[in-house]
Amino acid sequence: MFFNRIKSGQITIEVSALMPEKILNVLWNNGIYTCKVVKINLTTIRFNIAFEDYNETEMLIKKQKLKMKVIGKSGMIVLLLNLKRRMSLVIGAGVFFLVIYCLSNYIWAIDIQTKNNLSPFEVRQQLTAVGIKPGLKKSQINVYDIERKLEDLNDQIMWIRVRIQGSTLKLVIEEKVNPPSTEKTLPNSVVAKMDGEIKRVYTTSGNAAVVPGDIVKTGDVLILPVQGREGFEKEVKPSGTVIANTFYEKFMEIQISGDKLERTGKKDGDIYLNIFGKKIYLKKAINRFESYDKIEEKNGIFNKVIYFEKKGKPVNVDKESAIKEASDKLKESLGKTLSNNAKIIDNKATVEDIGEGKILVRVIFTVEQDIANNIS
């Protein structure tokens, strides 16, 4: 009884013929029940049949060489068929995201960042030797164990950090670098750690090798490892302070006229899946911005690209004020990098017009500081 109710349903059909009533007789003679018969015009008739009689009705109408079209459907069976089609879509989407989730539990790429002496190829071979390669499950990877094993395998590694980012295993390696030999220096001498003009020399041990006014280069000897007058020298460990004027150059680009591009606050973006190097877009931006900043956020499989709109805003700045402000900012920036005993005593600014309403402010700072470096 229940299944008969589910199968029940009706289909509304329109038939066009010179004598449309004839098809009703054909259907009745074949045991097909019709209801709600309506004559639309002289050549068209509309009626309802049971859902289960549709195939036989279609065959009989085609046999009579008449034209027909389905106007509507109703009943439980029709609803179930529609749900079945949509359910297939839902199941398909569910399977898709399930596959993506399963793939995201594995490592599919290895990113190795080294410096100059150690090649990523060599590190990759050592990773393979300890059983780490693409396609490995994340739960099988112990990043601290990998760090320890690679440090044991390669004596060129000074420091290593291994982390999992998305579906990528990322390695950042610092290498051991032997300090360069300084050929210009003598053993146990005090040398200049930067170029400068000597202002004052204070020695606590050893003889001064320079006098105020001398120009020295990096590595030049400032205090000798001997003390006493000629003929009465003795070897000592030199030490002291050598004050010199040193020079730093900094520059800044400033726009004083024309249009300056600034963010408007509007943005758009792409969202895509990166599967084995292929991009599958879940959302594609309609990028209609004439000028924009582009920022890409990579996180393994799920990635984003964000576009920030930029528009030109008129700029009209007093040139002298802009130069002074730039000089102050550059001085403040330099001060943060100097030691506590260093003192900025002078600065000279030059300005270069680089076009499009922009200028390049270049400032040379004179800094008085201790340039002595004890070499032992």
Side-chain angles (χ1 to χ4, degrees), residues 266-320:
K266 295 181 180 179
K267 64 181 180 179
D268 202 351
D270 302 332
I271 301 175
Y272 65 91
L273 304 175
N274 189 346
I275 303 176
F276 304 113
K278 293 185 178 181
K279 294 181 178 180
I280 301 174
Y281 283 89
L282 303 178
K283 177 182 177 293
K284 184 71 174 173
I286 305 174
N287 189 0
R288 296 175 179 170
F289 304 149
E290 292 184 7
S291 300
Y292 56 86
D293 285 335
K294 177 182 175 182
I295 297 176
E296 191 163 356
E297 297 178 359
K298 292 186 176 180
N299 188 24
I301 292 179
F302 292 93
N303 302 283
K304 290 182 180 180
V305 179
I306 304 174
Y307 303 93
F308 295 92
E309 184 185 32
K310 296 178 75 177
K311 285 189 177 180
K313 290 188 177 180
V315 176
N316 187 12
V317 179
D318 179 64
K319 185 175 182 180
E320 295 303 321

Side-chain angles (χ1 to χ4, degrees), residues 86-101:
R86 294 189 180 182
M87 188 60 70
S88 299
L89 262 175
V90 172
I91 292 172
V95 170
F96 173 78
F97 283 105
L98 181 62
V99 170
I100 295 299
Y101 173 77

Side-chain angles (χ1 to χ4, degrees), residues 91-243:
I91 292 172
V95 170
F96 173 78
F97 283 105
L98 181 62
V99 170
I100 295 299
Y101 173 77
C102 292
L103 291 176
S104 67
N105 290 321
Y106 292 82
I107 292 296
W108 299 111
I110 299 177
D111 181 20
I112 302 172
Q113 294 182 14
T114 61
K115 297 296 183 182
N116 300 321
N117 302 321
L118 191 60
S119 70
F121 176 75
E122 181 182 350
V123 178
R124 201 176 296 275
Q125 284 185 318
Q126 292 170 348
L127 281 173
T128 303
V130 298
I132 305 300
K133 56 186 178 180
L136 199 63
K137 201 169 184 180
K138 291 180 183 178
S139 59
Q140 298 175 340
I141 296 175
N142 186 329
V143 293
Y144 303 107
D145 188 48
I146 295 172
E147 291 173 357
R148 182 179 54 78
K149 288 181 178 179
L150 287 180
E151 285 176 346
D152 293 340
L153 283 173
N154 198 324
D155 57 2
Q156 294 187 51
I157 296 175
M158 180 178 70
W159 172 85
I160 181 171
R161 186 184 69 186
V162 181
R163 294 293 182 269
I164 297 173
Q165 295 183 358
S167 294
T168 301
L169 184 68
K170 189 169 184 178
L171 288 79
V172 180
I173 298 173
E174 288 290 339
E175 306 165 6
K176 292 178 182 177
V177 180
N178 295 324
S181 60
T182 308
E183 296 180 356
K184 294 177 66 177
T185 62
L186 296 174
N188 299 322
S189 296
V190 174
V191 299
K193 60 185 176 183
M194 63 181 67
D195 300 351
E197 180 187 357
I198 303 299
K199 302 299 289 182
R200 299 180 296 278
V201 182
Y202 306 99
T203 62
T204 56
S205 179
N207 289 336
V210 292
V211 295
D214 286 351
I215 304 297
V216 296
K217 299 289 185 181
T218 303
D220 286 349
V221 176
L222 302 178
I223 303 175
L224 297 170
V226 293
Q227 188 168 312
R229 293 179 297 169
E230 186 177 353
F232 299 94
E233 299 98 340
K234 65 175 181 178
E235 275 196 25
V236 295
K237 185 174 182 180
S239 63
T241 302
V242 180
I243 305 299

